[in-house]
Amino acid sequence: MKSKFAGTAGSIRSALLFGIAMPAMILPSLAKAQEEAQPATAAQDDVAAEEQGNEIVITATKREQTLQDVPVAVSVTTAETIERAKIRDLSDLQSIVPALRVGQLQSSANTNFFIRGFGNGANNAGIEPSVGVFVDGVYRSRTAAQIGDLPDVQRIEVLRGPQSTLFGKNASAGVISIVTRAPQFKFGGNVEASYGNYNAVVVKGVVTGPVSDTIAVSLAGGINKRDGYITDLGYNGEANNRNRWFVRGQALFQPSDAFKLRLIADYDKIDETCCSVVNLRRSGATSIIETLGGRVNDFQTPFADTVYSNFPSSNDIKNYGLSGQMEYKAGPLTLTSITAYRKSRAITNQDSDFTSADLIGRNSADVDIGTFTQELRIASDLDGPFNFLLGGYYFDETINQGNQILFGSQFRPYGNALIQAASGGALNVTTLEGTFGALENNPAKYLNTFFRAGDGLTEQYKLRDKAYSLFGNVDFEVTDRLTLTAGFNYTNDRKDVTTNVVSTDVFSGINLDAAAYAPFRNQLLFLGALGQGASPAGAAAFAAANQNNPAANPLGGLRAFQFLPPFLNLPNAVESGKTRDSDWSYTLRAAYDATDTVNVYLSYATGFKASSFNLSRDSRPLASDLAAIRTAGIAPVNLGAGSRFAGPEDASVYEFGLKANWGLVSANLAVFKQTIKGFQSNIFTGTGFALANAGKQSTFGIEFDGMVKPVDALTFNVSFIYLDPKYDSFPNSALGDATGRKPAGLPGLSATFGAQYEKELTNGDTIILRGDYHYDAPVQIADGLPGFIQRNAQGQVVSYAPAFAAARPFRREVSDANASLTYAMENGLELSVWGRNLLDSRNITTIFDSVAQSGSISGYTNQPRTYGVGARFKW
């Protein structure tokens, strides 16, 4: 593999070094024309900028402004809140940011982020997220590169709504921006350790200081380990554990106030067993599994935290990267360059039948992603009424993905039982093998090959994505109180995909409509007609008339068991495997300072996300391409229609906002109507995923967050979001026409209430008591379950109603309480006791059709109560 990517990696490394070095080489000559300034002040200002009461300084609009002055809907979580609330990663963040929703699916590498109900990503590397995650200005393109433990964070900004005119890639639903502390020119740091239930151990720290008058460095690192809270009785082990660590080094070169260069290198690793699935509804397939000796958890007690698998679901994830950020100030202009290269590799394997039977012996994925990004922007700070920001962004990413799904040793008897049940005992695997072979004049051709252990699907995908964008904003101060803003973004995105997918599932390669099998179909039709009371002559006539009629094929019911049919690879004579997208996005905003303490704004913004490819075994040609594919003679057996890719998303939002700061009280309100046309929907069907564009999805919402500080020692916080979403148009969903339906999984109301009491003692020590409570109103978890769609023997849809009915009983309500008590000594030592989900409120986070188990339902559960003690020392 190294030799395969050596050329690409080498060229990207060269570009990375050039991107970092070029500004550093050309700008010192410009700096000579400036007056020499005192070094290090900007770095020292990072500490002061972390939090200033209600005047938190943020960079949501790529300029330093206070939270109250930024005319954008943004939630800010400070380093203090992260520490007191024991927020370890972005998944924990949703407990204090109601507009943010985080879902973890098949593995540790599959985490989805949603803002205001919009977002995707799923467990498919070809589907780009609608919520952009940036760490120190560097885009993290896939979830495997986003979920590591938080490093030395200064603050986390969650920007709600389309942000395409400020961020160069995939910000059509919003942005999560993580800002870490820069190295300091004063020696300092902190180290912390905590221990909790499930033998949870977290140790992390950071040290920073000067190397010279112009160079400062920092080094941060941490480990996070925990036993699994799920007991797997199948292989007698544990699951859903934590085992991850990270290291992050920085260097800051700042010879003057006019110029600074910040270099960051990081590496993190995850090696965990995750994520366990519980059975929520039995079916006839469950009984067959138990007949084979397999076990499934009791569906009536999903929160017993016991499951059955025959091997652990492993996750081996590595992320690393290097970035360089240069900033140069020339009078009223600031030039910023951010150059980065990142590498992410996730190797996972899952027992995807989620039983102790050896049905699926392997379902592995090896996803290797290399990403180079370059951003260059110039911003003004002019005395006149005009100010501007103008920038460009370049993105170059290569994804190499290899998958394997193979039958286990018990899949053959399981498949045999399924066929017997579907045919009323008339057929079995051995009969089919012998009959099909004999009719092809080779009786031994198929013997012992159907559902054979080790057979399955081997997949290789490669996606190359090159994109660039130009973006800018202009502010015009009409008066001292009224500012008008116009912004734009032009994006050009080019994707090229190649695949090499090979199926060795012999039964899935059988054409049940083949002319050679007409005598067998004739016999089955004849017997069936006799069983319905027809005369021998009538039955014979019926069989002869319909033996070659696909609509009457008595073998049609067996198509449901052709799990891994042959694959038509890309590119081919009809499908190019390419997408070419471009779009203009823009922002229009008016911000008005109604008083010295109250600001209001009115805005309209659009956003864009380019096409996403379906890099999975479920990638199928569009229905419109099938005729040309068959005419070209390249269609493999049993090729059906589906989707190779989903087209672009176009987002828009109308928003009114109010921000008020009265010192002891602050409040922020946003009322919005957000719409995404072509939303990229990805639904699991029980054996694969259906990727499709929704015609239009919209949400009306109201957001509020406020803070009250009645006395210096006491602070109250409240945040809530009300959402009223619907599919305005979605005629081709996996569940039929979903137009007019309310998307599942989006609670109408989410709210967070928090309080912190900080009391300084006479000896200089401080006691800090913090608590927060998060509530999500009850909501249906899934729109429907495609595996319950009623079909005829030929696989044609009869009714979608059973799919909606099957999902309707499953609802989620969140009631999550967290608290911590800290004793902070004047010498820098802090001792704390903490707990998350103190009420031990359990819920089902996701449901789906059980894999290859028709009529059965599976799901993921949330994390139980956790608690512990900790110590932290700052100097």
Side-chain angles (χ1 to χ4, degrees):
M1 261 181 122
K2 289 183 179 178
S3 61
K4 182 176 179 181
F5 304 117
T8 301
S11 62
I12 290 178
R13 279 194 296 268
S14 299
L16 174 67
L17 294 174
F18 180 74
I20 295 173
M22 181 183 67
M25 290 186 292
I26 65 174
L27 290 173
S29 61
L30 298 175
K32 291 180 180 178
Q34 302 251 336
E35 293 183 4
E36 190 170 327
Q38 294 295 319
T41 55
Q44 293 166 351
D45 284 346
D46 284 340
V47 177
E50 179 181 323
E51 185 175 7
Q52 302 171 11
N54 293 337
E55 297 295 314
I56 302 172
V57 175
I58 64 175
T59 54
T61 58
K62 300 197 173 180
R63 303 171 184 268
E64 287 194 354
Q65 293 176 283
T66 64
L67 175 60
Q68 297 293 340
D69 290 336
V70 174
V72 174
V74 56
S75 301
V76 181
T77 305
T78 65
E80 181 185 8
T81 300
I82 291 169
E83 168 57 28
R84 303 296 179 218
K86 299 303 174 185
I87 294 171
R88 300 300 186 193
D89 56 27
L90 290 181
S91 180
D92 292 338
L93 189 64
Q94 63 183 328
S95 66
I96 58 173
V97 181
L100 175 66
R101 192 156 308 282
V102 183
Q104 185 166 309
L105 299 174
Q106 186 173 338
S107 71
S108 297
N110 299 134
T111 303
N112 295 344
F113 301 102
F114 298 82
I115 294 177
R116 292 178 170 175
F118 295 101
N120 49 27
N123 56 345
N124 188 322
I127 302 175
E128 298 189 81
S130 299
V131 174
V133 176
F134 293 79
V135 180
D136 291 323
V138 176
Y139 177 55
R140 303 289 182 96
S141 68
R142 295 298 188 278
T143 55
Q146 300 166 350
I147 59 169
D149 285 10
L150 297 175
D152 188 33
V153 172
Q154 183 172 325
R155 65 182 180 276
I156 300 176
E157 303 171 7
V158 179
L159 287 73
R160 309 188 292 268
Q163 306 294 329
S164 294
T165 61
L166 289 170
F167 295 86
K169 183 76 170 173
N170 293 346
S172 59
V175 163
I176 301 172
S177 177
I178 301 173
V179 181
T180 69
R181 291 187 181 90
Q184 304 297 304
F185 282 87
K186 180 179 179 181
F187 179 72
N190 66 76
V191 62
E192 65 174 284
S194 69
Y195 179 80
N197 60 332
Y198 302 107
N199 288 318
V201 175
V202 176
V203 179
K204 65 178 183 177
V206 60
V207 60
T208 184
V211 175
S212 69
D213 291 341
T214 59
I215 298 176
V217 297
S218 67
L219 181 65
I223 60 170
N224 183 348
K225 293 191 174 187
R226 184 196 67 202
D227 293 344
Y229 61 84
I230 299 288
T231 300
D232 196 309
L233 299 176
Y235 61 83
N236 293 318
E238 60 185 38
N240 290 27
N241 66 329
R242 280 285 175 90
N243 184 18
R244 50 184 68 175
W245 62 271
F246 75 89
V247 62
R248 178 181 173 90
Q250 298 188 62
L252 176 66
F253 172 59
Q254 188 170 355
S256 70
D257 280 348
F259 176 77
K260 63 179 177 181
L261 174 65
R262 183 181 179 187
L263 301 177
I264 304 173
D266 66 273
Y267 182 94
D268 65 81
K269 189 176 189 307
I270 296 175
D271 185 6
E272 298 173 350
T273 300
C274 187
C275 301
S276 289
V277 167
V278 296
N279 181 267
L280 301 171
R281 173 171 164 172
R282 291 173 59 91
S283 69
T286 313
S287 300
I288 293 173
I289 290 169
E290 291 174 339
T291 300
L292 295 173
R295 297 288 303 276
V296 181
N297 69 280
D298 183 356
F299 72 98
Q300 295 178 318
T301 57
F303 304 120
D305 292 333
T306 57
V307 298
Y308 291 87
S309 305
N310 60 295
F311 64 85
S313 294
S314 60
N315 300 263
D316 183 1
I317 304 167
K318 301 180 181 70
N319 293 293
Y320 57 90
L322 174 68
S323 67
Q325 178 172 339
M326 180 280 301
E327 186 175 292
Y328 175 69
K329 295 181 180 179
L333 302 180
T334 300
L335 176 66
T336 302
S337 170
I338 302 176
T339 309
Y341 177 72
R342 297 208 58 81
K343 190 77 167 177
S344 174
R345 188 172 186 186
I347 301 174
T348 61
N349 190 22
Q350 184 183 53
D351 181 12
S352 294
D353 58 77
F354 308 118
T355 75
S356 62
D358 186 21
L359 302 183
I360 297 177
R362 182 177 183 85
N363 186 12
S364 63
D366 184 348
V367 183
D368 187 287
I369 304 174
T371 310
F372 171 78
T373 59
Q374 172 65 57
E375 179 177 352
L376 188 65
R377 65 178 186 264
I378 185 169
S380 71
D381 186 14
L382 302 171
D383 293 332
F386 283 98
N387 272 291
F388 68 89
L389 180 147
L390 183 65
Y393 183 83
Y394 177 74
F395 176 89
D396 187 346
E397 181 171 82
T398 300
I399 299 175
N400 285 277
Q401 175 179 320
N403 298 349
Q404 262 196 332
I405 181 167
L406 305 177
F407 295 138
S409 61
Q410 291 182 292
F411 203 93
R412 180 176 170 84
Y414 176 68
N416 182 63
L418 291 176
I419 289 173
Q420 286 182 314
S423 65
L427 300 174
N428 58 57
V429 167
T430 303
T431 297
L432 292 174
E433 290 172 336
T435 303
F436 290 153
L439 292 172
E440 293 182 38
N441 299 316
N442 186 356
K445 180 177 181 179
Y446 297 118
L447 294 183
N448 300 313
T449 63
F450 291 178
F451 309 122
R452 181 170 51 196
D455 283 357
L457 204 69
T458 299
E459 310 161 64
Q460 292 291 331
Y461 307 93
K462 182 173 183 177
L463 184 151
R464 184 73 184 272
D465 182 5
K466 290 185 177 182
Y468 67 87
S469 63
L470 302 174
F471 59 90
N473 282 272
V474 176
D475 294 333
F476 175 58
E477 292 185 7
V478 180
T479 69
D480 288 344
R481 292 189 176 274
L482 177 63
T483 301
L484 302 180
T485 299
F488 76 93
N489 177 294
Y490 173 76
T491 295
N492 184 288
D493 186 279
R494 304 165 66 88
K495 292 185 175 73
D496 296 84
V497 167
T498 58
T499 71
N500 183 19
V501 179
V502 178
S503 174
T504 56
D505 177 3
V506 178
F507 183 64
S508 292
I510 296 290
N511 180 6
L512 299 173
D513 294 323
Y517 304 152
F520 187 31
R521 294 193 296 269
N522 183 293
Q523 179 186 1
L524 294 174
L525 288 167
F526 176 79
L527 294 174
L530 284 178
Q532 295 295 318
S535 66
F542 173 78
N546 288 282
Q547 65 182 11
N548 291 314
N549 178 9
N553 188 345
L555 299 173
L558 303 184
R559 292 190 177 93
F561 312 124
Q562 293 183 311
F563 297 112
L564 304 171
F567 190 92
L568 178 62
N569 283 299
L570 292 173
N572 55 58
V574 175
E575 301 172 291
S576 66
K578 302 175 185 232
T579 59
R580 300 292 184 261
D581 302 315
S582 61
D583 184 79
W584 285 94
S585 301
Y586 58 92
T587 297
L588 299 173
R589 182 172 57 238
Y592 182 67
D593 296 342
T595 70
D596 290 341
T597 57
V598 178
N599 309 330
V600 296
Y601 66 89
L602 185 65
S603 67
Y604 175 74
T606 66
F608 173 75
K609 189 181 86 167
S611 300
S612 289
F613 267 98
N614 190 357
L615 300 187
S616 77
R617 60 183 178 273
D618 315 299
S619 175
R620 294 288 183 271
L622 298 175
S624 57
D625 289 332
L626 277 181
I629 288 171
R630 288 172 178 147
T631 300
I634 59 174
V637 174
N638 296 327
L639 178 67
S643 64
R644 294 291 198 186
F645 63 92
E649 290 182 356
D650 289 295
S652 63
V653 61
Y654 294 91
E655 184 170 314
F656 167 78
L658 181 149
K659 298 195 174 190
N661 179 14
W662 296 287
L664 299 180
V665 179
S666 65
N668 303 312
L669 174 70
V671 181
F672 63 90
K673 178 65 178 291
Q674 188 165 331
T675 301
I676 290 187
K677 295 180 179 179
F679 178 74
Q680 296 171 1
S681 169
N682 195 48
I683 298 177
F684 186 66
T685 64
T687 56
F689 288 85
L691 176 65
N693 287 104
K696 181 181 178 182
Q697 180 181 339
S698 65
T699 298
F700 170 78
I702 302 173
E703 298 168 324
F704 174 83
D705 62 82
M707 184 192 78
V708 179
K709 199 174 181 69
V711 294
D712 287 343
L714 183 61
T715 303
F716 293 103
N717 297 87
V718 62
S719 301
F720 77 79
I721 180 170
Y722 165 80
L723 295 176
D724 182 17
K726 70 174 180 178
Y727 290 121
D728 300 273
S729 173
F730 197 178
N732 300 315
S733 83
L735 299 163
D737 189 353
T739 301
R741 288 186 173 272
K742 180 177 181 177
L746 307 180
L749 178 67
S750 295
T752 297
F753 305 90
Q756 181 166 306
Y757 179 74
E758 189 168 342
K759 176 64 175 178
E760 185 174 351
L761 305 179
T762 56
N763 63 356
D765 296 348
T766 304
I767 294 178
I768 305 165
L769 175 63
R770 176 189 167 79
D772 60 75
Y773 174 75
H774 179 75
Y775 175 75
D776 284 347
V779 64
Q780 186 170 315
I781 297 174
D783 292 324
L785 293 167
F788 286 82
I789 295 173
Q790 184 180 350
R791 302 177 185 272
N792 60 23
Q794 286 68 46
Q796 299 167 326
V797 174
V798 175
S799 173
Y800 290 102
F804 292 111
R808 200 169 292 126
F810 296 96
R811 298 176 66 81
R812 178 181 64 243
E813 182 178 15
V814 175
S815 181
D816 191 3
N818 312 297
S820 67
L821 175 63
T822 301
Y823 186 85
M825 303 179 192
E826 194 175 21
N827 63 5
L829 178 64
E830 297 181 0
L831 304 176
S832 63
V833 56
W834 56 270
R836 294 188 60 82
N837 190 14
L838 289 172
L839 302 178
D840 200 26
S841 175
R842 305 300 302 275
N843 59 75
I844 304 296
T845 61
T846 308
I847 64 170
F848 55 92
D849 294 295
S850 300
V851 177
Q853 299 167 55
S854 178
S856 184
I857 300 174
S858 298
Y860 294 95
T861 62
N862 72 322
Q863 187 170 285
R865 174 171 47 226
T866 57
Y867 51 86
V869 296
R872 188 169 188 251
F873 181 67
K874 298 184 292 185
W875 67 91

